[in-house]
Amino acid sequence: MTTRRRSPATRRSVLAVPGSNPRMIEKAKGLAADEIFLDLEDAVAPAAKAAARANIVAALVSPGWGEQIRVVRVNDWTTQWTYADVITVVEGAGRELDAILLPKVTDAGQVRALDLLLTQLEKAGGLEPGGIGIEPQIENALGLRNIDEIATASPRVRTLVFGPADFMASINMRTLVVGEQPEGYQPGDAYHHILMTILLAARAHGLQAIDGPYLQIRDLDGFRRAAGRTAALGFDGKWVLHPTQIDAANEIFSPRQADYDRAEEILDAYAYHTSGAGGARGAVMLGDEMIDEASAKMAQVIAAKGRAAGM
Ligand code: GLV
Ligand code: MG
């Protein structure tokens, strides 16, 4: 049994590199990121997954790396790709690998399944037992609700990674901008934790999330502010107590026309570029913004709300 290379523990900077792009991987080797993860998931189009696995193995075993923590993001367990991603990468380059980044984790069972597969691969390949870590990515309501059991599911778990784009899409948060506050959200809101807990429970179990009443029925501005807050988070609707509140609620819980149009534009561009007609790429530029599978899901949330509202 040979000893794996030991990496520093800091992860101040974690660089995402598409596994489908050998040129970008080669360039990343010389960059000063603490961790580099080679992506097989959303940055790689379905038709390019198998070739990306081979690129990643070739890149991991070739020279030129610095001291970076080397990680591969596999596809999530609901797809048909996960097992082959893990087997190909660990059999081909297990000695060069520090961890597997597991996206869209919903529960401890998914972490344990990966742990078991890694244990077998380490035994079969003569690798250090338990040497390959797991980085669960929290990207949906169920994953957040089960976060304690996910964090303690295996001694291989090294980090918990937030996936904002998929997370915002999974709870139907009403925004197209990843990493920024949704418009209308008020920081320091005393209701925030309670509202978010209700929203997460609703999304975790496939229910609608409805905000309660606003009792100052003559204060329409106040109603609009309160409704805007929960609409921005992703709630589906709000109680109304007066006819004037009905139109306001219908408007506020529907996307704005400009956002709806932008969402449809993102979906069209994404469909064109990933279908093969535009090159079967996983991540594409639309104006100044990068869009990928996760941002397309966020656009899908806005588009679905708009279509339901007859836009
Ligand atoms: C990253 O994976 C994200 O969904 O934001
Ligand atoms: Mg994601």
Side-chain angles (χ1 to χ4, degrees):
M1 188 186 309
T2 51
T3 312
R4 271 169 65 286
R5 178 182 55 83
R6 283 277 160 221
S7 306
T10 45
R11 287 178 170 83
R12 294 165 310 171
S13 48
V14 174
L15 178 68
V17 185
S20 49
N21 191 325
R23 195 179 41 82
M24 282 176 82
I25 301 177
E26 202 46 44
K27 186 164 170 221
K29 288 181 178 178
L31 300 179
D34 287 337
E35 174 178 312
I36 293 182
F37 83 81
L38 306 178
D39 198 11
L40 284 170
E41 202 218 17
D42 284 353
V44 178
K49 301 279 188 200
R53 289 179 192 133
N55 292 338
I56 286 177
V57 168
L60 283 171
V61 298
S62 67
W65 289 96
E67 284 300 299
Q68 310 97 336
I69 300 172
R70 298 173 213 169
V71 173
V72 172
R73 181 164 76 166
V74 296
N75 289 279
D76 80 87
W77 276 123
T78 66
T79 69
Q80 70 269 41
W81 298 299
T82 322
Y83 77 99
D85 290 346
V86 178
I87 292 171
T88 308
V89 167
V90 177
E91 280 186 349
R95 269 174 235 290
E96 307 304 324
L97 190 65
D98 291 295
I100 296 284
L101 176 50
L102 185 65
K104 300 183 178 68
V105 173
T106 53
D107 53 55
Q110 296 193 333
V111 177
R112 285 196 208 103
L114 179 57
D115 182 319
L116 288 172
L117 185 53
L118 288 173
T119 300
Q120 290 218 322
L121 287 163
E122 284 168 350
K123 273 188 188 155
L127 303 174
E128 177 193 349
I132 299 176
I134 297 178
E135 301 192 354
Q137 195 175 11
I138 306 296
E139 308 201 76
N140 49 53
L142 206 47
L144 194 69
R145 306 251 319 173
N146 292 330
I147 195 158
D148 293 323
E149 63 169 58
I150 289 168
T152 54
S154 158
R156 295 180 190 272
V157 173
R158 305 274 204 268
T159 63
L160 292 170
V161 184
F162 180 41
D166 274 302
F167 198 97
M168 290 155 105
S170 93
I171 61 168
N172 292 9
M173 195 176 276
R174 203 182 62 181
T175 178
L176 292 170
V177 184
V178 179
E180 287 294 343
Q181 301 300 315
E183 199 180 321
Y185 170 69
Q186 295 158 21
D189 185 341
Y191 291 90
H192 179 77
H193 181 77
I194 305 161
L195 291 168
M196 208 58 181
T197 304
I198 292 170
L199 178 64
L200 292 177
R203 294 294 173 249
H205 300 294
L207 309 172
Q208 292 208 325
I210 308 297
D211 188 13
Y214 187 80
L215 296 187
Q216 290 71 245
I217 55 174
R218 291 187 207 294
D219 180 0
L220 196 56
D221 287 345
F223 175 85
R224 295 183 73 89
R225 214 169 32 247
R229 178 184 62 205
T230 45
L233 285 178
F235 272 66
D236 298 284
K238 178 173 175 62
W239 285 16
V240 290
L241 302 177
H242 189 272
T244 58
Q245 294 180 340
I246 297 174
D247 285 349
N250 288 345
E251 176 204 320
I252 289 165
F253 286 93
S254 304
R256 286 177 315 188
Q257 189 67 46
D259 289 337
Y260 173 70
D261 293 345
R262 174 73 180 163
E264 295 286 10
E265 189 186 2
I266 290 172
L267 291 177
D268 285 349
Y270 190 67
Y272 172 75
H273 284 294
T274 55
S275 66
R281 283 177 289 151
V284 294
M285 292 301 292
L286 180 61
D288 287 341
E289 200 179 338
M290 201 196 77
I291 54 173
D292 69 2
E293 175 76 15
S295 44
K297 282 184 190 145
M298 290 172 64
Q300 186 62 49
V301 169
I302 308 282
K305 287 191 185 203
R307 288 174 203 161
M311 297 178 88

